Amino acid sequence: MQVNTTRGFLWSDVETRTLLNIWGEQDIQTALDGNFRNSFVYRDVSRRLGATGFERTPEQCRVRIKSLKRQYLLAKEGNIRNNGQYHKICKFYDTMERILSNRPALDPQEFIDSGAGGEEAGEGLEEDGEDALDAYSESTGECPYPAETEVKLEYPTIPIPIPVKVTVGNNSTSVRPHNSSASNLSARTPKRQRKRRANFPMEKLMEQFLEQSAQAEDSFYRIEEQRLQAEDHRREAEHTKELHMLQMLGQMFSSISSARPSSSATPSKTAPSARAPVFSSVSPSCSRGQATHLRRPSPKKDCFTQQSQLLNPDPQALVFERYYSLGSTSHRGMDEDILSLVKSIVPPLTSKKHKGQDGRIGIIGGCQDYTGAPYFAAISALKAGADLSHVFCTKDAATVIKSYSPELIVHPVLDSPNAVEEIEKWLPRLHGLVVGPGLGREDVLLKTAKVVIEKSKARDIPIVIDADGLWLVAQQPSVIQGYKKGILTPNFMEFTRLYEALHHEPMDISDLQRSIMQLSVAMGNLTVVLKGEQDLITDGSKVISCSIEGSGRRCGGQGDLLSGSVGVFAHWAHTASAAGMGRSVNPSMIAAFGACSLTRQCNSQAFQRHGRSTTTTDMIQEIGPAFKKLFES
């Protein structure tokens, strides 16, 4: 679901109608009628509005409803008194009428009669009326403006002199005022002219009040927008400054690291051959110090100093060691250094090879609900360079997956009674296995996947576990724990589930590098790829980051493209390692970095062509050009 990320306060018509539909629901109206505290009601309205794609705070929803009720009541007042003259004031009059027609009406006279009497009540109507209405609105969630209200004017009582007869002497009477001082005061003081606000019709007062409220609201929104824009500019400036500083540091580290190997290397008695191994051995002390050095660089434990003491340093191994020891996992130069290692494991295309020699990949997944994921993984493996892709899926998903492409070999055996036997007979022909895309979480399918993983481990086949396969690992970590040729490719949610399943405590999201290393160690130094803004890759002893630029588009299926590509690169990397090359660098990490780079490059190229409408199908079409740009240029 795409979320509206507008940070302003202006409401569109579609957003307003959605708000009214939610506010007019029976349970919302019932909650407003029965509670004096309604903040929780508007939090629920805000949550439901966010579920439809519009992000608004509870306070914004409450203010908007209040404004709409004012417009509605003004329009209704005009409709009654002036034959519909003011009906245009409220655009959503019909909707408000439908919602408020069944609610009990409030007598606004209560708020006027409850104030001071006489002239003070008349003078305080404009100032205190809104406060009274706001107090009522806060307690009930309703707007107490009346449909029709006459202004009632009361004046303070003034003592009036009353003649009183007094008997004096021989029954003679004299008249004297009961309150002579009041009479004299009234005679001396001229009568002050009273302000008669009753001359103004109620609709004019309401119209003036609403106009002033609308102007004040617009002014507030305008000022708030300016403040937010200024805040955004400030953050962008800070971000640009930080990037500039990081680039300068990267250039400085690159110059230092390139100078140290050349100055400290000593001539070798035997010159290295032209076919030097891709991975050369590294001193144990340097390897042990990498994890510590990654978290807290120290000149005393610089791997370059220890590496320079070797008689025959391998330049490619030095490249990898420089990447770890500097701890700089965000520089493009470092990405290019590791890409050079990935290039060396890519098998050349020659006419002497036969079908299947460059990779036969199996995908365990695909059920009735999920047919796209296994297709994406299988076709990505093919386009990345594998010769054959097998999909082992359920019977009801096989026809659908076959219809996507004739390039795939589809086996409808995953839900059959003898599924393990049917899949096991193909394992000797496979070079890599990807478990999880579209697998589902049915117990029968998960049990079959678990047995297939055990059979593949016995044959020393590289295994990539993604999607629902990671759900199986979270339930039973021992299924892949400690297998050196295993690779996990979780997203953030899947990674959190795995971490909490193994550590039984919440994950510290402020230090993802530390968390991913802890998970890898808990899984027996398994290679883990945490997908995100920067893909983090670790085998428990070191962390590398793939920061090749992608795009902001996150469509479904990109993870399946990655898992299929990892399956191919894992076969190539372990084949190169087994062909006599050194083991100083984990082949699974090189494979994971190559697949992450390819996926990001495909995302970037597809986004340049299609923009917001980019899908995984568009990305798959870019695998060929992206592969050539990264690994064959």
Coordinates of all heavy atoms in Angstrom, one line a residue, residues 340-415:
S340 N 35.7 -6.3 -8.1 CA 36.8 -7.0 -8.9 C 37.0 -8.4 -8.5 O 37.4 -9.3 -9.3 CB 38.1 -6.2 -8.7 OG 38.5 -6.3 -7.3
L341 N 36.8 -8.7 -7.2 CA 36.8 -10.1 -6.8 C 35.7 -10.9 -7.3 O 35.8 -12.1 -7.7 CB 36.8 -10.2 -5.2 CG 37.9 -9.5 -4.5 CD1 37.7 -9.7 -3.0 CD2 39.3 -10.1 -4.9
V342 N 34.5 -10.3 -7.4 CA 33.3 -11.0 -8.0 C 33.6 -11.3 -9.5 O 33.2 -12.4 -10.0 CB 32.1 -10.1 -7.8 CG1 30.8 -10.9 -8.4 CG2 31.8 -9.9 -6.3
K343 N 34.2 -10.3 -10.2 CA 34.5 -10.6 -11.6 C 35.4 -11.8 -11.8 O 35.2 -12.5 -12.8 CB 35.2 -9.3 -12.2 CG 34.3 -8.1 -12.3 CD 35.1 -6.9 -12.8 CE 34.3 -5.7 -12.9 NZ 35.1 -4.5 -13.4
S344 N 36.3 -12.0 -10.8 CA 37.2 -13.2 -11.0 C 36.5 -14.5 -10.9 O 37.1 -15.5 -11.3 CB 38.3 -13.0 -10.0 OG 37.9 -13.1 -8.7
I345 N 35.3 -14.6 -10.2 CA 34.7 -15.9 -10.1 C 33.7 -16.1 -11.2 O 33.1 -17.2 -11.3 CB 34.0 -16.0 -8.7 CG1 32.8 -15.0 -8.7 CG2 34.9 -15.7 -7.6 CD1 31.9 -15.2 -7.4
V346 N 33.4 -15.1 -12.0 CA 32.4 -15.3 -13.1 C 33.1 -16.2 -14.2 O 34.1 -15.8 -14.7 CB 32.0 -13.9 -13.7 CG1 31.1 -14.2 -14.9 CG2 31.3 -13.1 -12.6
P347 N 32.5 -17.3 -14.5 CA 33.1 -18.2 -15.5 C 33.0 -17.6 -16.9 O 32.0 -17.0 -17.3 CB 32.3 -19.5 -15.4 CG 30.9 -19.0 -14.9 CD 31.2 -17.9 -14.0
P348 N 34.1 -17.7 -17.7 CA 34.1 -17.1 -19.0 C 33.2 -18.0 -19.9 O 32.9 -19.1 -19.7 CB 35.5 -17.2 -19.5 CG 36.1 -18.4 -18.7 CD 35.4 -18.3 -17.3
L349 N 32.7 -17.3 -21.0 CA 31.8 -18.0 -22.0 C 32.7 -18.5 -23.1 O 33.3 -17.7 -23.8 CB 30.8 -17.0 -22.5 CG 29.8 -16.5 -21.5 CD1 28.8 -15.5 -22.2 CD2 29.0 -17.6 -20.9
T350 N 32.8 -19.8 -23.2 CA 33.6 -20.5 -24.3 C 32.7 -21.5 -25.0 O 31.7 -22.0 -24.4 CB 34.8 -21.1 -23.7 OG1 34.4 -22.2 -22.8 CG2 35.6 -20.1 -22.9
S351 N 33.2 -21.8 -26.2 CA 32.4 -22.8 -27.0 C 32.7 -24.3 -26.5 O 32.1 -25.2 -27.0 CB 32.8 -22.7 -28.4 OG 34.2 -22.8 -28.6
K352 N 33.7 -24.5 -25.6 CA 34.0 -25.8 -25.2 C 33.2 -26.3 -24.0 O 33.3 -27.5 -23.7 CB 35.5 -25.8 -24.7 CG 36.5 -25.4 -25.8 CD 37.9 -25.5 -25.3 CE 38.9 -25.1 -26.4 NZ 40.3 -25.1 -25.9
K353 N 32.3 -25.5 -23.5 CA 31.4 -25.9 -22.4 C 30.2 -26.6 -22.9 O 29.8 -26.4 -24.0 CB 31.0 -24.7 -21.5 CG 32.2 -24.0 -20.8 CD 31.7 -22.9 -19.9 CE 32.8 -22.3 -19.1 NZ 32.4 -21.2 -18.2
H354 N 29.6 -27.4 -22.0 CA 28.4 -28.1 -22.3 C 27.2 -27.6 -21.4 O 27.5 -26.9 -20.4 CB 28.5 -29.6 -22.1 CG 29.0 -30.0 -20.8 ND1 28.1 -30.0 -19.7 CD2 30.2 -30.3 -20.3 CE1 28.8 -30.4 -18.6 NE2 30.1 -30.6 -18.9
K355 N 26.0 -27.9 -21.8 CA 24.8 -27.4 -21.1 C 24.8 -27.9 -19.7 O 25.0 -29.0 -19.4 CB 23.6 -27.9 -21.8 CG 22.3 -27.4 -21.1 CD 21.1 -27.9 -21.9 CE 20.9 -29.4 -21.8 NZ 19.7 -29.9 -22.4
G356 N 24.7 -26.9 -18.8 CA 24.6 -27.2 -17.3 C 25.9 -27.0 -16.6 O 25.9 -27.0 -15.4
Q357 N 27.0 -26.7 -17.3 CA 28.3 -26.6 -16.6 C 28.4 -25.4 -15.8 O 29.0 -25.3 -14.8 CB 29.4 -26.7 -17.7 CG 30.8 -26.8 -17.1 CD 31.9 -27.1 -18.1 OE1 31.6 -27.4 -19.3 NE2 33.1 -27.0 -17.7
D358 N 27.7 -24.3 -16.3 CA 27.8 -23.0 -15.5 C 26.7 -22.9 -14.5 O 26.6 -21.9 -13.8 CB 27.6 -21.8 -16.5 CG 28.9 -21.6 -17.2 OD1 30.0 -22.0 -16.8 OD2 28.9 -20.9 -18.3
G359 N 25.9 -23.9 -14.2 CA 25.0 -23.9 -13.1 C 23.7 -24.5 -13.4 O 23.0 -24.1 -14.4
R360 N 23.2 -25.4 -12.5 CA 21.9 -25.9 -12.5 C 21.3 -25.6 -11.1 O 21.7 -26.2 -10.1 CB 21.9 -27.4 -12.8 CG 22.4 -27.8 -14.2 CD 22.3 -29.3 -14.5 NE 23.2 -30.1 -13.7 CZ 24.4 -30.4 -14.0 NH1 24.9 -30.0 -15.2 NH2 25.2 -31.1 -13.2
I361 N 20.3 -24.8 -11.1 CA 19.8 -24.2 -9.8 C 18.4 -24.8 -9.6 O 17.6 -24.8 -10.5 CB 19.8 -22.7 -9.8 CG1 21.1 -22.1 -10.2 CG2 19.3 -22.2 -8.5 CD1 22.2 -22.6 -9.3
G362 N 18.1 -25.2 -8.4 CA 16.8 -25.7 -8.0 C 16.1 -24.7 -7.1 O 16.7 -24.2 -6.1
I363 N 14.8 -24.5 -7.3 CA 14.0 -23.6 -6.4 C 12.9 -24.5 -5.7 O 12.1 -25.2 -6.4 CB 13.3 -22.5 -7.3 CG1 14.3 -21.8 -8.2 CG2 12.6 -21.5 -6.4 CD1 15.3 -21.1 -7.5
I364 N 13.0 -24.5 -4.4 CA 12.0 -25.2 -3.6 C 10.9 -24.2 -3.1 O 11.1 -23.4 -2.2 CB 12.6 -25.9 -2.4 CG1 13.8 -26.8 -2.8 CG2 11.6 -26.7 -1.6 CD1 13.4 -27.9 -3.7
G365 N 9.8 -24.2 -3.8 CA 8.7 -23.2 -3.5 C 7.7 -23.1 -4.6 O 8.0 -23.5 -5.7
G366 N 6.6 -22.5 -4.3 CA 5.5 -22.4 -5.2 C 4.3 -23.1 -4.8 O 4.3 -24.4 -4.8
C367 N 3.2 -22.4 -4.4 CA 2.0 -23.1 -4.0 C 0.8 -22.3 -4.7 O 1.1 -21.4 -5.5 CB 1.8 -23.1 -2.5 SG 1.8 -21.5 -1.8
Q368 N -0.4 -22.7 -4.4 CA -1.5 -22.1 -5.1 C -1.6 -20.6 -4.9 O -1.9 -19.9 -5.8 CB -2.8 -22.7 -4.5 CG -4.1 -22.2 -5.3 CD -5.3 -22.9 -4.7 OE1 -5.3 -23.7 -3.8 NE2 -6.5 -22.7 -5.4
D369 N -1.2 -20.1 -3.7 CA -1.3 -18.7 -3.5 C -0.1 -17.9 -4.0 O -0.2 -16.7 -4.3 CB -1.5 -18.4 -2.0 CG -2.8 -19.0 -1.4 OD1 -3.7 -19.0 -2.2 OD2 -2.8 -19.3 -0.2
Y370 N 1.0 -18.5 -4.1 CA 2.3 -17.8 -4.5 C 2.9 -18.5 -5.6 O 3.6 -19.5 -5.5 CB 3.2 -17.7 -3.3 CG 2.6 -17.2 -2.0 CD1 2.3 -18.0 -1.0 CD2 2.3 -15.8 -1.9 CE1 1.7 -17.4 0.2 CE2 1.8 -15.3 -0.8 CZ 1.4 -16.1 0.3 OH 0.9 -15.5 1.4
T371 N 2.7 -18.0 -6.8 CA 3.3 -18.6 -8.0 C 4.3 -17.6 -8.7 O 5.2 -18.1 -9.4 CB 2.2 -18.9 -9.1 OG1 1.5 -17.7 -9.4 CG2 1.2 -19.9 -8.6
G372 N 4.3 -16.3 -8.3 CA 5.2 -15.4 -8.9 C 6.6 -15.5 -8.3 O 7.6 -15.4 -9.0
A373 N 6.7 -15.7 -7.0 CA 8.0 -15.7 -6.3 C 9.0 -16.8 -6.9 O 10.1 -16.5 -7.2 CB 7.8 -15.9 -4.8
P374 N 8.5 -18.1 -7.0 CA 9.5 -19.1 -7.6 C 9.8 -18.8 -9.0 O 10.9 -19.1 -9.4 CB 8.7 -20.4 -7.4 CG 7.3 -20.0 -7.3 CD 7.2 -18.7 -6.6
Y375 N 8.9 -18.2 -9.7 CA 9.2 -17.8 -11.1 C 10.3 -16.8 -11.2 O 11.3 -16.8 -11.9 CB 8.0 -17.3 -11.9 CG 8.3 -16.5 -13.1 CD1 8.7 -17.2 -14.3 CD2 8.2 -15.1 -13.1 CE1 9.1 -16.4 -15.4 CE2 8.5 -14.4 -14.2 CZ 8.9 -15.1 -15.4 OH 9.2 -14.3 -16.5
F376 N 10.1 -15.7 -10.3 CA 11.1 -14.6 -10.3 C 12.5 -15.2 -9.9 O 13.5 -14.8 -10.5 CB 10.7 -13.5 -9.3 CG 9.6 -12.7 -9.8 CD1 8.6 -12.2 -8.9 CD2 9.5 -12.3 -11.1 CE1 7.6 -11.4 -9.3 CE2 8.4 -11.5 -11.6 CZ 7.5 -11.1 -10.6
A377 N 12.6 -16.0 -8.9 CA 13.9 -16.6 -8.5 C 14.5 -17.4 -9.6 O 15.7 -17.3 -9.9 CB 13.7 -17.4 -7.2
A378 N 13.7 -18.3 -10.2 CA 14.2 -19.2 -11.3 C 14.7 -18.4 -12.5 O 15.7 -18.7 -13.1 CB 13.2 -20.2 -11.6
I379 N 13.8 -17.5 -13.0 CA 14.2 -16.8 -14.2 C 15.4 -15.9 -14.0 O 16.2 -15.6 -14.8 CB 13.0 -16.0 -14.7 CG1 13.2 -15.7 -16.2 CG2 12.7 -14.8 -13.9 CD1 13.2 -16.9 -17.2
S380 N 15.5 -15.3 -12.7 CA 16.7 -14.5 -12.4 C 18.0 -15.3 -12.4 O 19.0 -14.8 -12.9 CB 16.5 -13.8 -11.0 OG 15.3 -13.0 -11.0
A381 N 17.9 -16.5 -11.9 CA 19.1 -17.4 -11.9 C 19.5 -17.7 -13.4 O 20.7 -17.7 -13.7 CB 18.8 -18.7 -11.2
L382 N 18.5 -17.9 -14.3 CA 18.8 -18.1 -15.7 C 19.5 -16.9 -16.3 O 20.5 -17.0 -17.0 CB 17.6 -18.5 -16.4 CG 17.1 -20.0 -16.4 CD1 15.8 -20.1 -17.2 CD2 18.2 -20.9 -17.0
K383 N 18.9 -15.7 -16.1 CA 19.4 -14.5 -16.7 C 20.7 -14.1 -16.2 O 21.5 -13.4 -16.8 CB 18.3 -13.4 -16.7 CG 17.1 -13.6 -17.6 CD 16.2 -12.4 -17.6 CE 15.2 -12.6 -18.6 NZ 15.7 -12.4 -20.0
A384 N 21.0 -14.5 -14.9 CA 22.3 -14.1 -14.3 C 23.4 -15.0 -14.8 O 24.6 -14.6 -14.7 CB 22.2 -14.3 -12.8
G385 N 23.1 -16.1 -15.4 CA 24.1 -17.0 -16.0 C 24.0 -18.4 -15.8 O 24.8 -19.2 -16.4
A386 N 23.0 -18.9 -15.1 CA 22.8 -20.4 -14.9 C 22.3 -21.0 -16.2 O 21.6 -20.3 -17.0 CB 21.8 -20.6 -13.8
D387 N 22.6 -22.2 -16.4 CA 22.2 -22.9 -17.7 C 20.8 -23.5 -17.5 O 20.0 -23.5 -18.5 CB 23.2 -24.0 -18.0 CG 24.5 -23.4 -18.4 OD1 24.6 -22.3 -18.8 OD2 25.5 -24.2 -18.4
L388 N 20.4 -24.0 -16.4 CA 19.1 -24.6 -16.2 C 18.5 -24.2 -14.8 O 19.3 -24.0 -13.8 CB 19.2 -26.1 -16.2 CG 19.7 -26.8 -17.5 CD1 20.0 -28.3 -17.3 CD2 18.7 -26.6 -18.6
S389 N 17.2 -24.0 -14.8 CA 16.5 -23.7 -13.5 C 15.3 -24.7 -13.4 O 14.5 -24.8 -14.2 CB 16.0 -22.3 -13.6 OG 17.0 -21.3 -13.3
H390 N 15.4 -25.3 -12.2 CA 14.3 -26.3 -11.9 C 13.4 -25.7 -10.8 O 14.0 -25.1 -9.8 CB 14.9 -27.6 -11.4 CG 15.7 -28.3 -12.4 ND1 15.2 -29.4 -13.1 CD2 17.0 -28.1 -12.8 CE1 16.1 -29.9 -13.9 NE2 17.2 -29.1 -13.8
V391 N 12.1 -25.8 -10.9 CA 11.2 -25.4 -9.9 C 10.4 -26.6 -9.3 O 9.7 -27.2 -10.1 CB 10.2 -24.3 -10.4 CG1 9.2 -23.9 -9.3 CG2 11.0 -23.1 -11.0
F392 N 10.5 -26.8 -8.0 CA 9.8 -27.9 -7.4 C 8.7 -27.3 -6.6 O 8.9 -26.7 -5.5 CB 10.8 -28.7 -6.5 CG 11.9 -29.3 -7.2 CD1 13.1 -28.6 -7.3 CD2 11.8 -30.6 -7.7 CE1 14.2 -29.2 -8.0 CE2 12.9 -31.1 -8.4 CZ 14.1 -30.4 -8.5
C393 N 7.4 -27.4 -7.1 CA 6.3 -26.7 -6.6 C 5.1 -27.7 -6.3 O 5.3 -28.9 -6.6 CB 5.8 -25.6 -7.5 SG 5.3 -26.2 -9.1
T394 N 4.0 -27.2 -5.8 CA 2.8 -28.0 -5.7 C 2.1 -28.2 -7.0 O 2.4 -27.5 -8.0 CB 1.9 -27.3 -4.7 OG1 1.4 -26.1 -5.2 CG2 2.5 -27.1 -3.3
K395 N 1.3 -29.2 -7.0 CA 0.6 -29.6 -8.3 C -0.3 -28.4 -8.8 O -0.3 -28.2 -10.1 CB -0.2 -30.8 -8.0 CG -0.9 -31.4 -9.3 CD -1.6 -32.6 -9.0 CE -2.3 -33.2 -10.3 NZ -3.0 -34.5 -10.0
D396 N -1.0 -27.7 -8.0 CA -1.9 -26.7 -8.5 C -1.2 -25.4 -8.9 O -1.8 -24.6 -9.5 CB -3.0 -26.3 -7.4 CG -2.4 -26.1 -6.0 OD1 -1.1 -26.1 -6.0 OD2 -3.1 -26.0 -5.1
A397 N 0.1 -25.3 -8.6 CA 0.9 -24.1 -9.0 C 1.7 -24.4 -10.2 O 2.2 -23.4 -10.9 CB 1.8 -23.7 -7.9
A398 N 1.9 -25.6 -10.6 CA 2.8 -26.0 -11.7 C 2.3 -25.4 -13.0 O 3.2 -24.8 -13.8 CB 2.9 -27.5 -11.8
T399 N 1.1 -25.5 -13.3 CA 0.6 -25.1 -14.6 C 0.8 -23.6 -14.8 O 1.1 -23.0 -15.8 CB -0.9 -25.4 -14.8 OG1 -1.0 -26.9 -14.7 CG2 -1.4 -25.0 -16.2
V400 N 0.5 -22.9 -13.7 CA 0.6 -21.4 -13.7 C 2.1 -21.0 -13.9 O 2.4 -20.1 -14.7 CB 0.1 -20.8 -12.4 CG1 0.2 -19.3 -12.4 CG2 -1.4 -21.2 -12.2
I401 N 3.0 -21.6 -13.2 CA 4.4 -21.3 -13.3 C 4.9 -21.6 -14.7 O 5.7 -20.9 -15.3 CB 5.2 -22.0 -12.2 CG1 4.7 -21.5 -10.8 CG2 6.7 -21.7 -12.4 CD1 5.4 -22.2 -9.7
K402 N 4.5 -22.8 -15.2 CA 4.9 -23.1 -16.6 C 4.4 -22.1 -17.6 O 5.1 -21.8 -18.6 CB 4.3 -24.5 -17.0 CG 5.1 -25.7 -16.3 CD 4.5 -27.0 -16.8 CE 5.2 -28.2 -16.2 NZ 4.6 -29.5 -16.6
S403 N 3.2 -21.5 -17.4 CA 2.7 -20.6 -18.4 C 3.5 -19.3 -18.4 O 3.4 -18.5 -19.3 CB 1.3 -20.3 -18.1 OG 1.1 -19.6 -16.8
Y404 N 4.2 -19.0 -17.3 CA 5.0 -17.8 -17.3 C 6.2 -17.8 -18.3 O 6.5 -16.8 -18.9 CB 5.6 -17.5 -15.9 CG 4.5 -17.2 -14.8 CD1 4.7 -17.5 -13.5 CD2 3.4 -16.5 -15.2 CE1 3.8 -17.2 -12.5 CE2 2.4 -16.2 -14.2 CZ 2.6 -16.6 -12.9 OH 1.7 -16.3 -12.0
S405 N 6.9 -18.9 -18.4 CA 8.0 -19.0 -19.3 C 8.3 -20.5 -19.6 O 8.3 -21.3 -18.8 CB 9.2 -18.4 -18.6 OG 10.4 -18.6 -19.3
P406 N 8.6 -20.7 -20.9 CA 9.0 -22.1 -21.3 C 10.5 -22.4 -20.9 O 10.9 -23.5 -21.1 CB 8.8 -22.0 -22.8 CG 9.1 -20.6 -23.2 CD 8.5 -19.8 -22.1
E407 N 11.2 -21.4 -20.4 CA 12.6 -21.6 -20.1 C 12.8 -22.5 -18.8 O 13.8 -23.0 -18.6 CB 13.3 -20.3 -19.8 CG 13.0 -19.2 -20.9 CD 13.7 -19.5 -22.2 OE1 14.6 -20.3 -22.2 OE2 13.3 -18.9 -23.2
L408 N 11.7 -22.6 -18.0 CA 11.8 -23.2 -16.7 C 11.4 -24.7 -16.7 O 10.5 -25.1 -17.5 CB 11.0 -22.5 -15.6 CG 11.2 -21.0 -15.5 CD1 10.3 -20.4 -14.5 CD2 12.6 -20.7 -15.2
I409 N 12.1 -25.5 -15.9 CA 11.7 -26.9 -15.8 C 10.9 -27.0 -14.5 O 11.5 -26.8 -13.4 CB 13.0 -27.8 -15.7 CG1 13.8 -27.6 -16.9 CG2 12.6 -29.3 -15.6 CD1 15.2 -28.3 -16.9
V410 N 9.6 -27.4 -14.6 CA 8.7 -27.3 -13.4 C 8.4 -28.7 -13.0 O 7.9 -29.5 -13.9 CB 7.5 -26.5 -13.8 CG1 6.6 -26.4 -12.5 CG2 7.9 -25.1 -14.2
H411 N 8.5 -29.0 -11.7 CA 8.2 -30.4 -11.2 C 7.0 -30.2 -10.2 O 7.3 -29.7 -9.1 CB 9.4 -31.0 -10.5 CG 10.7 -31.0 -11.3 ND1 11.0 -32.0 -12.2 CD2 11.7 -30.1 -11.4 CE1 12.1 -31.7 -12.8 NE2 12.6 -30.6 -12.3
P412 N 5.8 -30.7 -10.5 CA 4.7 -30.6 -9.5 C 4.7 -31.7 -8.5 O 3.8 -32.5 -8.4 CB 3.5 -30.7 -10.5 CG 4.0 -31.5 -11.6 CD 5.4 -31.3 -11.8
V413 N 5.7 -31.7 -7.6 CA 5.8 -32.8 -6.7 C 5.9 -32.4 -5.2 O 5.9 -33.2 -4.3 CB 7.2 -33.6 -7.0 CG1 7.1 -34.2 -8.4 CG2 8.4 -32.7 -6.8
L414 N 5.9 -31.1 -4.9 CA 6.1 -30.6 -3.6 C 5.1 -31.1 -2.6 O 5.4 -31.3 -1.4 CB 6.2 -29.1 -3.5 CG 6.9 -28.4 -2.3 CD1 8.2 -29.0 -2.0 CD2 6.9 -26.9 -2.5
D415 N 3.8 -31.3 -3.0 CA 2.8 -31.7 -2.1 C 2.4 -33.2 -2.3 O 1.4 -33.6 -1.8 CB 1.6 -30.8 -2.2 CG 1.0 -30.8 -3.7 OD1 1.8 -31.2 -4.6 OD2 -0.1 -30.2 -3.9

